Amino acid sequence: MTKEEKVKYEMYTKAKVEFQAELDELEQLLRDEPDYEYRKQVLADIEHNKKLLEIVRRVIPD
């Protein structure tokens, strides 16, 4: 792996962990507060994070 490839790999690895952590937090929020005032926005954020994770998993599979 080249130096540049290593930097990209590390960037994607870090992003994957961050996207998953945010997804977990958002899903937990809706479990804890099913009537959350901004539920619609949280659901949109969940879908967005799932798409981002799908993209990153193409480069860094689980």
Side-chain angles (χ1 to χ4, degrees):
M1 184 179 299
T2 68
K3 191 175 186 179
E4 292 81 16
E5 290 171 331
K6 185 177 183 206
V7 168
K8 286 183 181 180
Y9 182 85
E10 290 171 354
M11 178 186 71
Y12 286 124
T13 301
K14 183 179 177 185
K16 184 178 171 185
V17 169
E18 290 173 358
F19 294 148
Q20 185 62 57
E22 184 176 345
L23 177 61
D24 293 342
E25 288 176 22
L26 293 169
E27 290 176 334
Q28 186 62 49
L29 171 65
L30 293 185
R31 281 192 296 275
D32 292 344
E33 298 183 45
D35 297 325
Y36 187 63
E37 180 179 359
Y38 301 105
R39 181 178 182 81
K40 226 174 171 178
Q41 181 60 46
V42 172
L43 288 170
D45 289 348
I46 287 172
E47 287 308 309
H48 180 71
N49 275 23
K50 285 180 179 181
K51 287 178 185 176
L52 292 172
L53 276 169
E54 182 182 319
I55 292 167
V56 174
R57 285 182 175 133
R58 292 180 193 157
V59 178
I60 312 284
D62 289 339

Coordinates of all heavy atoms in Angstrom, one line a residue:
M1 N 0.9 -1.2 0.0 CA 0.0 0.0 0.0 C 0.9 1.2 0.0 O 1.8 1.3 0.8 CB -0.9 0.0 1.3 CG -1.9 1.0 1.4 SD -3.0 1.0 2.8 CE -3.8 -0.6 2.6
T2 N 0.6 2.2 -0.9 CA 1.3 3.4 -0.9 C 1.0 4.3 0.3 O -0.1 4.1 0.9 CB 1.1 4.2 -2.2 OG1 -0.3 4.7 -2.2 CG2 1.3 3.3 -3.5
K3 N 1.8 5.3 0.4 CA 1.5 6.3 1.5 C 0.1 6.9 1.3 O -0.6 7.1 2.3 CB 2.6 7.3 1.5 CG 2.7 8.2 2.7 CD 3.9 9.1 2.6 CE 4.0 9.9 3.9 NZ 5.2 10.8 3.9
E4 N -0.2 7.3 0.1 CA -1.4 7.9 -0.2 C -2.6 7.0 0.0 O -3.7 7.4 0.5 CB -1.4 8.5 -1.7 CG -0.5 9.6 -1.9 CD 1.0 9.2 -2.1 OE1 1.2 7.9 -2.4 OE2 1.8 10.0 -2.0
E5 N -2.4 5.8 -0.4 CA -3.5 4.7 -0.2 C -3.7 4.5 1.3 O -4.9 4.4 1.7 CB -3.1 3.4 -0.9 CG -3.1 3.5 -2.4 CD -2.6 2.3 -3.1 OE1 -1.7 1.6 -2.5 OE2 -3.0 1.9 -4.2
K6 N -2.7 4.5 2.0 CA -2.8 4.3 3.5 C -3.6 5.5 4.1 O -4.4 5.2 5.0 CB -1.4 4.2 4.1 CG -1.5 3.9 5.6 CD -0.1 3.7 6.2 CE -0.4 3.3 7.7 NZ 0.7 3.6 8.6
V7 N -3.3 6.7 3.7 CA -4.0 7.8 4.2 C -5.5 7.7 3.9 O -6.4 7.9 4.8 CB -3.4 9.2 3.6 CG1 -4.3 10.3 4.0 CG2 -2.0 9.4 4.2
K8 N -5.8 7.4 2.7 CA -7.3 7.2 2.3 C -7.9 6.1 3.1 O -9.0 6.2 3.5 CB -7.4 6.9 0.8 CG -7.1 8.2 0.0 CD -7.4 7.9 -1.5 CE -7.1 9.1 -2.3 NZ -7.3 8.9 -3.8
Y9 N -7.2 4.9 3.2 CA -7.7 3.8 4.0 C -8.0 4.2 5.4 O -9.1 3.9 5.9 CB -6.7 2.6 3.9 CG -7.2 1.4 4.6 CD1 -8.0 0.5 4.0 CD2 -6.9 1.2 6.0 CE1 -8.5 -0.6 4.6 CE2 -7.3 0.0 6.6 CZ -8.1 -0.9 5.9 OH -8.6 -2.0 6.6
E10 N -7.1 4.9 6.0 CA -7.3 5.4 7.4 C -8.5 6.3 7.5 O -9.3 6.3 8.4 CB -6.0 6.0 8.0 CG -5.0 4.9 8.2 CD -3.6 5.5 8.6 OE1 -3.4 6.7 8.5 OE2 -2.7 4.7 8.9
M11 N -8.6 7.2 6.5 CA -9.7 8.2 6.5 C -11.1 7.5 6.4 O -12.0 7.8 7.1 CB -9.6 9.1 5.3 CG -10.7 10.2 5.2 SD -10.6 11.1 3.7 CE -11.0 9.9 2.4
Y12 N -11.1 6.5 5.5 CA -12.4 5.7 5.3 C -12.7 4.9 6.6 O -13.8 4.7 7.0 CB -12.3 4.8 4.1 CG -12.5 5.6 2.8 CD1 -11.5 5.5 1.8 CD2 -13.6 6.4 2.6 CE1 -11.7 6.2 0.6 CE2 -13.7 7.1 1.4 CZ -12.8 7.0 0.4 OH -12.9 7.7 -0.8
T13 N -11.6 4.3 7.2 CA -11.8 3.5 8.4 C -12.4 4.4 9.5 O -13.3 4.0 10.2 CB -10.5 2.9 8.8 OG1 -10.0 2.0 7.8 CG2 -10.7 2.1 10.1
K14 N -11.8 5.6 9.7 CA -12.3 6.5 10.7 C -13.7 6.9 10.4 O -14.6 7.0 11.3 CB -11.4 7.7 10.8 CG -11.8 8.7 11.8 CD -10.8 9.9 11.9 CE -11.3 10.9 12.9 NZ -10.4 12.1 12.9
A15 N -14.0 7.3 9.1 CA -15.4 7.7 8.8 C -16.4 6.6 9.0 O -17.5 6.9 9.5 CB -15.4 8.1 7.3
K16 N -16.0 5.4 8.7 CA -16.9 4.2 8.9 C -17.3 4.1 10.4 O -18.5 4.0 10.8 CB -16.3 3.0 8.5 CG -17.1 1.7 8.5 CD -16.4 0.6 8.0 CE -17.1 -0.7 8.2 NZ -16.3 -1.9 7.8
V17 N -16.3 4.2 11.3 CA -16.6 4.2 12.7 C -17.5 5.3 13.2 O -18.4 5.1 14.0 CB -15.2 4.2 13.5 CG1 -15.5 4.3 15.0 CG2 -14.5 2.9 13.2
E18 N -17.2 6.5 12.7 CA -18.0 7.7 13.1 C -19.4 7.6 12.6 O -20.4 7.9 13.3 CB -17.3 9.0 12.6 CG -16.0 9.3 13.3 CD -15.2 10.4 12.7 OE1 -15.7 11.0 11.7 OE2 -14.2 10.8 13.2
F19 N -19.6 7.2 11.3 CA -21.0 7.1 10.8 C -21.8 6.0 11.5 O -22.9 6.2 11.8 CB -20.9 6.7 9.3 CG -20.4 7.7 8.4 CD1 -19.7 7.4 7.2 CD2 -20.5 9.1 8.7 CE1 -19.1 8.3 6.4 CE2 -20.0 10.0 7.8 CZ -19.3 9.7 6.7
Q20 N -21.1 4.9 11.9 CA -21.8 3.9 12.6 C -22.2 4.3 14.0 O -23.3 4.1 14.5 CB -20.9 2.6 12.7 CG -21.7 1.4 13.4 CD -22.9 1.0 12.6 OE1 -22.8 0.7 11.4 NE2 -24.0 1.0 13.3
A21 N -21.2 5.0 14.7 CA -21.5 5.6 16.0 C -22.7 6.5 16.0 O -23.6 6.5 16.9 CB -20.3 6.2 16.6
E22 N -22.7 7.4 15.0 CA -23.8 8.4 14.9 C -25.1 7.6 14.6 O -26.2 8.0 15.2 CB -23.6 9.4 13.8 CG -24.6 10.5 13.8 CD -24.3 11.6 12.8 OE1 -23.2 11.7 12.3 OE2 -25.3 12.3 12.5
L23 N -25.1 6.7 13.8 CA -26.3 5.9 13.5 C -26.8 5.2 14.7 O -28.0 5.2 15.0 CB -26.0 4.8 12.4 CG -27.1 3.9 12.0 CD1 -28.3 4.6 11.4 CD2 -26.6 2.9 11.0
D24 N -25.9 4.6 15.5 CA -26.3 3.9 16.7 C -27.0 4.9 17.7 O -28.0 4.6 18.3 CB -25.1 3.3 17.4 CG -24.5 2.1 16.6 OD1 -25.3 1.6 15.7 OD2 -23.4 1.7 16.8
E25 N -26.4 6.1 17.8 CA -26.9 7.1 18.7 C -28.3 7.6 18.3 O -29.2 7.7 19.1 CB -26.0 8.3 18.7 CG -24.7 8.1 19.5 CD -23.8 9.3 19.4 OE1 -24.3 10.4 19.2 OE2 -22.6 9.1 19.6
L26 N -28.5 7.8 17.0 CA -29.8 8.2 16.5 C -30.9 7.2 16.7 O -32.0 7.5 17.1 CB -29.7 8.6 15.0 CG -28.8 9.8 14.7 CD1 -28.6 9.9 13.2 CD2 -29.5 11.1 15.2
E27 N -30.5 5.9 16.4 CA -31.5 4.8 16.6 C -31.8 4.7 18.1 O -33.0 4.4 18.4 CB -30.9 3.5 16.0 CG -30.8 3.5 14.5 CD -30.2 2.3 13.9 OE1 -29.4 1.7 14.6 OE2 -30.5 2.0 12.8
Q28 N -30.8 4.9 18.9 CA -31.1 4.8 20.4 C -32.0 5.9 20.8 O -32.9 5.7 21.7 CB -29.8 4.8 21.2 CG -29.9 4.6 22.7 CD -30.5 3.2 23.0 OE1 -30.0 2.2 22.5 NE2 -31.6 3.2 23.8
L29 N -31.8 7.1 20.3 CA -32.6 8.3 20.6 C -34.1 7.9 20.3 O -35.0 8.2 21.1 CB -32.2 9.5 19.8 CG -33.1 10.7 19.8 CD1 -33.1 11.3 21.3 CD2 -32.6 11.7 18.9
L30 N -34.4 7.3 19.2 CA -35.7 7.0 18.8 C -36.3 5.9 19.7 O -37.5 5.9 19.9 CB -35.9 6.7 17.3 CG -35.6 7.8 16.4 CD1 -35.8 7.4 15.0 CD2 -36.4 9.1 16.7
R31 N -35.4 5.0 20.1 CA -35.9 3.9 21.0 C -36.3 4.5 22.4 O -37.3 4.2 23.0 CB -34.9 2.8 21.2 CG -34.8 1.8 20.0 CD -34.0 0.6 20.3 NE -32.6 0.9 20.5 CZ -31.7 1.0 19.6 NH1 -32.0 0.9 18.3 NH2 -30.4 1.3 19.9
D32 N -35.4 5.5 22.8 CA -35.6 6.1 24.2 C -36.8 7.1 24.2 O -37.4 7.2 25.2 CB -34.3 6.8 24.6 CG -33.2 5.9 24.9 OD1 -33.4 4.6 25.1 OD2 -32.0 6.3 25.0
E33 N -37.0 7.7 23.0 CA -38.0 8.8 22.9 C -38.8 8.6 21.7 O -38.6 9.3 20.7 CB -37.4 10.2 22.9 CG -36.6 10.5 24.2 CD -36.0 11.9 24.2 OE1 -36.8 12.8 23.8 OE2 -34.9 12.1 24.5
P34 N -39.7 7.6 21.7 CA -40.5 7.3 20.5 C -41.3 8.5 19.9 O -41.6 8.5 18.7 CB -41.4 6.1 20.9 CG -41.1 5.8 22.3 CD -40.1 6.8 22.8
D35 N -41.7 9.4 20.8 CA -42.5 10.5 20.4 C -41.6 11.8 20.2 O -42.1 12.9 20.3 CB -43.6 10.8 21.4 CG -44.6 9.7 21.4 OD1 -44.8 9.0 20.4 OD2 -45.1 9.4 22.5
Y36 N -40.3 11.6 19.9 CA -39.4 12.7 19.8 C -39.9 13.8 18.8 O -40.4 13.4 17.7 CB -38.0 12.2 19.3 CG -36.9 13.2 19.3 CD1 -36.5 13.8 20.5 CD2 -36.3 13.5 18.2 CE1 -35.5 14.7 20.5 CE2 -35.2 14.5 18.2 CZ -34.9 15.1 19.3 OH -33.8 16.0 19.3
E37 N -39.8 15.0 19.2 CA -40.4 16.1 18.4 C -39.8 16.2 17.0 O -40.5 16.5 16.0 CB -40.1 17.4 19.1 CG -40.7 18.6 18.4 CD -40.4 19.9 19.2 OE1 -39.8 19.9 20.3 OE2 -40.8 21.0 18.7
Y38 N -38.5 15.9 16.9 CA -37.9 16.0 15.5 C -37.6 14.6 14.9 O -36.7 14.4 14.2 CB -36.6 16.8 15.7 CG -36.8 18.2 16.2 CD1 -36.5 18.5 17.5 CD2 -37.4 19.1 15.4 CE1 -36.7 19.7 18.0 CE2 -37.6 20.4 15.9 CZ -37.3 20.7 17.2 OH -37.5 22.0 17.7
R39 N -38.6 13.7 15.2 CA -38.4 12.3 14.7 C -38.2 12.2 13.2 O -37.4 11.4 12.8 CB -39.7 11.5 15.1 CG -39.6 10.1 14.7 CD -40.9 9.3 15.2 NE -40.8 7.9 14.9 CZ -40.2 7.0 15.5 NH1 -39.5 7.3 16.6 NH2 -40.1 5.7 15.2
K40 N -38.9 13.0 12.5 CA -38.8 13.0 11.0 C -37.4 13.3 10.6 O -36.8 12.6 9.7 CB -39.8 14.0 10.4 CG -40.6 13.5 9.3 CD -41.6 14.5 8.8 CE -42.2 14.1 7.6 NZ -43.2 15.0 7.1
Q41 N -36.8 14.3 11.2 CA -35.4 14.7 10.9 C -34.4 13.6 11.3 O -33.5 13.3 10.5 CB -35.0 16.0 11.5 CG -33.6 16.4 11.2 CD -33.4 16.7 9.7 OE1 -34.2 17.3 9.1 NE2 -32.3 16.1 9.2
V42 N -34.7 13.0 12.4 CA -33.8 11.9 12.9 C -33.9 10.7 11.9 O -32.8 10.1 11.6 CB -34.1 11.5 14.3 CG1 -33.4 10.3 14.7 CG2 -33.8 12.6 15.3
L43 N -35.1 10.4 11.5 CA -35.2 9.3 10.5 C -34.5 9.6 9.2 O -33.8 8.7 8.6 CB -36.7 9.0 10.2 CG -37.5 8.4 11.4 CD1 -39.0 8.4 11.1 CD2 -37.0 7.0 11.6
A44 N -34.5 10.9 8.8 CA -33.8 11.3 7.6 C -32.3 11.1 7.8 O -31.6 10.7 6.9 CB -34.2 12.7 7.2
D45 N -31.8 11.5 9.0 CA -30.4 11.4 9.3 C -30.0 10.0 9.3 O -28.9 9.6 8.9 CB -30.1 12.1 10.6 CG -30.2 13.6 10.6 OD1 -30.3 14.2 9.4 OD2 -30.2 14.2 11.6
I46 N -30.8 9.1 9.9 CA -30.5 7.7 9.9 C -30.4 7.1 8.5 O -29.4 6.4 8.2 CB -31.7 6.9 10.7 CG1 -31.5 7.2 12.2 CG2 -31.6 5.4 10.4 CD1 -32.7 6.7 13.0
E47 N -31.3 7.5 7.6 CA -31.2 7.0 6.2 C -29.9 7.5 5.6 O -29.3 6.8 4.8 CB -32.4 7.4 5.4 CG -33.6 6.6 5.8 CD -33.4 5.1 5.8 OE1 -32.9 4.6 4.7 OE2 -33.7 4.4 6.8
H48 N -29.6 8.8 5.8 CA -28.4 9.4 5.3 C -27.1 8.6 5.7 O -26.3 8.3 4.9 CB -28.3 10.8 5.6 CG -27.1 11.5 5.1 ND1 -27.0 11.8 3.7 CD2 -26.0 12.0 5.7 CE1 -25.8 12.5 3.6 NE2 -25.2 12.6 4.7
N49 N -27.1 8.3 7.0 CA -25.9 7.6 7.6 C -25.8 6.2 7.0 O -24.7 5.7 6.8 CB -26.0 7.6 9.1 CG -25.4 8.8 9.7 OD1 -25.3 9.9 9.1 ND2 -24.9 8.8 10.9
K50 N -27.0 5.6 6.8 CA -27.0 4.2 6.2 C -26.4 4.2 4.8 O -25.6 3.4 4.4 CB -28.4 3.6 6.2 CG -28.8 3.2 7.6 CD -30.2 2.6 7.5 CE -30.7 2.1 8.9 NZ -32.0 1.5 8.8
K51 N -26.7 5.3 4.1 CA -26.2 5.4 2.7 C -24.7 5.7 2.7 O -23.9 5.1 1.9 CB -26.9 6.5 1.9 CG -28.3 6.2 1.5 CD -29.0 7.3 0.9 CE -30.5 6.9 0.6 NZ -31.2 8.1 0.0
L52 N -24.3 6.5 3.6 CA -22.8 6.8 3.8 C -22.1 5.5 4.2 O -21.0 5.2 3.6 CB -22.6 7.9 4.8 CG -23.1 9.3 4.4 CD1 -22.9 10.2 5.6 CD2 -22.3 9.8 3.2
L53 N -22.6 4.8 5.1 CA -22.0 3.5 5.5 C -21.9 2.5 4.3 O -20.9 1.8 4.2 CB -22.7 2.9 6.7 CG -22.4 3.4 8.0 CD1 -23.3 2.9 9.1 CD2 -21.0 3.0 8.4
E54 N -23.0 2.5 3.6 CA -23.0 1.6 2.4 C -21.8 1.9 1.4 O -21.1 1.1 0.9 CB -24.3 1.7 1.7 CG -24.5 0.8 0.5 CD -25.8 0.9 -0.2 OE1 -26.8 1.1 0.5 OE2 -25.8 0.9 -1.4
I55 N -21.6 3.2 1.2 CA -20.6 3.7 0.3 C -19.2 3.3 0.9 O -18.4 2.8 0.2 CB -20.7 5.2 0.1 CG1 -22.0 5.5 -0.7 CG2 -19.5 5.7 -0.6 CD1 -22.4 6.9 -0.8
V56 N -19.0 3.6 2.2 CA -17.7 3.3 2.8 C -17.4 1.8 2.8 O -16.3 1.4 2.6 CB -17.6 3.9 4.2 CG1 -16.4 3.5 4.9 CG2 -17.7 5.4 4.1
R57 N -18.5 1.0 3.0 CA -18.3 -0.4 3.1 C -17.9 -1.0 1.7 O -17.4 -2.1 1.7 CB -19.6 -1.1 3.6 CG -19.8 -0.9 5.1 CD -21.0 -1.6 5.6 NE -21.0 -1.5 7.0 CZ -22.1 -1.2 7.7 NH1 -23.2 -0.9 7.1 NH2 -22.1 -1.1 9.0
R58 N -18.1 -0.3 0.7 CA -17.6 -0.8 -0.6 C -16.1 -0.7 -0.6 O -15.4 -1.5 -1.3 CB -18.1 0.1 -1.8 CG -19.6 0.0 -2.0 CD -20.1 0.9 -3.1 NE -21.5 0.9 -3.1 CZ -22.2 1.9 -3.6 NH1 -21.6 2.9 -4.2 NH2 -23.5 1.9 -3.6
V59 N -15.5 0.2 0.1 CA -14.0 0.4 0.2 C -13.5 -0.5 1.3 O -12.5 -1.1 1.2 CB -13.7 1.8 0.3 CG1 -12.2 2.0 0.5 CG2 -14.2 2.7 -0.8
I60 N -14.2 -0.4 2.5 CA -13.7 -1.1 3.7 C -14.9 -2.0 4.1 O -15.7 -1.6 4.9 CB -13.4 -0.1 4.8 CG1 -12.6 1.1 4.4 CG2 -12.8 -0.8 6.1 CD1 -11.1 0.8 4.2
P61 N -14.9 -3.2 3.7 CA -16.0 -4.1 4.1 C -15.9 -4.5 5.6 O -14.8 -4.4 6.2 CB -15.7 -5.4 3.2 CG -14.7 -5.1 2.3 CD -14.0 -3.8 2.7
D62 N -17.0 -4.9 6.1 CA -17.1 -5.3 7.5 C -16.3 -6.5 7.7 O -16.1 -7.4 6.9 CB -18.5 -5.5 8.0 CG -19.3 -4.1 8.1 OD1 -18.6 -3.1 8.2 OD2 -20.5 -4.2 8.1

